[in-house]
Amino acid sequence: MAQPKQAWEVLAEEDRVIADNILQLASKGIVEWDILIWLADYRRKLAEGDDFDCDEAEADQIRATILEETAKELEKVGLEAANASITSENPSRSELTDEEGERELSEKLLPLLEDGIEEIDILRWLAYSRKEASMDKSRGQMCRVDVQFARVLFAGSDKLENALEEWAESDPFDTENGQDTSTAGRSAPEIIEFTPAAKILAKNPKLTERCSDIAQLIKQLNRTGRNEPCPCESGKKFKKCCGGI
């Protein structure tokens, strides 16, 4: 039986896949805000078409909003650099028609999302790429612009991660008519029915045997970071296992 991959192996594999696809886009002159706008539009369409799962649609709207905000900040930095005659040597985006650009973005980004790679991962890869570029002194004044891009991308990834964690921790079944009913008149299984803890304990019920305080265990499971190993001990990251949204 194959052993589950270590967390660092999963991250390294994701980085390689992201790098391959994003670098191909960059070679066509497609820049970061083009990528974020495409991702935001993709999430908006998913949200509008998801009539059944309102929670999932809400998460897609959160992603779309933060991606759009980050794209606007990046575009602002790029415009300021262009006005100051600071440009890179990348191919011009104008070489592609809108239709060609959309096709390129779809062909390279959609497989990433279908493979379970999230926008947070893409934002952070873009940020690290810009940070690395800023250390290349041969880029001259672009180094300063690279740092600005990296800061915006890092901030966007953190904002998105925090927003999704807050969304994941919120429970629409905790309130009724404005009153907190999360514990009143409920048994323990009902309290955790709609939380990540329920999925984790369903996969690995033995976790309760190792803990004397079940309430504290549930609290800890629900606060698992999205990029941490899943507590169910599957070997996958939480976001790709019991924390999947």
Side-chain angles (χ1 to χ4, degrees):
M1 181 177 177
Q3 293 296 317
K5 292 182 179 179
Q6 297 294 317
W8 68 267
E9 293 178 305
V10 175
L11 288 172
E13 185 175 321
E14 284 186 357
D15 281 347
R16 284 194 295 272
V17 174
I18 295 172
D20 288 344
N21 289 29
I22 299 297
L23 290 176
Q24 288 183 56
L25 291 175
S27 70
K28 302 291 179 63
I30 294 174
V31 293
E32 289 93 340
W33 55 85
D34 292 324
I35 292 170
L36 300 195
I37 290 171
W38 186 93
L39 291 170
D41 288 343
Y42 172 79
R43 287 296 177 181
R44 291 274 186 219
K45 291 174 183 176
L46 285 183
E48 292 168 1
D50 201 342
D51 297 326
F52 178 75
D53 193 339
C54 294
D55 281 351
E56 188 69 22
E58 183 180 357
D60 286 329
Q61 291 285 10
I62 289 171
R63 291 185 179 95
T65 298
I66 294 175
L67 287 166
E68 287 170 348
E69 292 172 353
T70 305
K72 288 179 181 178
E73 291 185 47
L74 288 172
E75 194 167 11
K76 181 180 177 182
V77 172
L79 182 60
E80 290 174 351
N83 290 337
S85 299
I86 303 174
T87 59
S88 65
E89 296 180 357
N90 289 340
S92 172
R93 171 70 170 80
S94 61
E95 294 177 1
L96 296 177
T97 65
D98 290 342
E99 184 179 344
E100 290 171 337
E102 178 69 19
R103 184 170 60 250
E104 289 289 339
L105 286 160
S106 297
E107 288 177 356
K108 299 302 184 297
L109 296 179
L110 198 54
L112 297 181
L113 300 175
E114 291 175 344
D115 196 38
I117 294 173
E118 297 193 11
E119 290 88 348
I120 295 170
D121 304 309
I122 295 172
L123 282 166
R124 287 186 176 153
W125 187 90
L126 290 169
Y128 281 118
S129 178
R130 279 289 182 174
K131 182 63 176 176
E132 184 176 354
S134 72
M135 299 177 186
D136 182 358
K137 300 305 180 184
S138 68
R139 288 172 63 79
Q141 290 182 307
M142 269 304 297
C143 290
R144 178 171 55 83
V145 179
D146 290 329
V147 171
Q148 291 178 290
F149 276 128
R151 287 174 177 168
V152 171
L153 289 161
F154 274 125
S157 68
D158 287 344
K159 185 176 181 179
L160 180 54
E161 182 173 40
N162 292 336
L164 288 175
E165 285 182 352
E166 289 178 10
W167 170 83
E169 290 174 2
S170 66
D171 186 351
F173 301 94
D174 274 353
T175 59
E176 184 176 335
N177 298 323
Q179 300 296 319
D180 187 356
T181 59
S182 58
T183 58
R186 291 189 177 189
S187 62
E190 291 175 321
I191 295 173
I192 66 172
E193 183 178 358
F194 301 104
T195 64
K199 295 182 181 180
I200 297 168
L201 293 176
K203 281 192 175 183
N204 192 349
K206 290 184 178 180
L207 291 173
T208 59
E209 299 174 6
R210 310 173 195 169
C211 180
S212 58
D213 189 340
I214 302 301
Q216 182 62 26
L217 172 64
I218 291 172
K219 186 176 181 180
Q220 290 176 347
L221 294 178
N222 284 331
R223 291 183 175 179
T224 304
R226 292 174 57 71
N227 286 309
E228 294 177 12
C230 189
C232 78
E233 301 178 349
S234 65
K236 300 178 181 179
K237 287 198 287 187
F238 181 59
K239 69 182 181 183
K240 291 189 176 181
C241 193
C242 296
I245 56 178

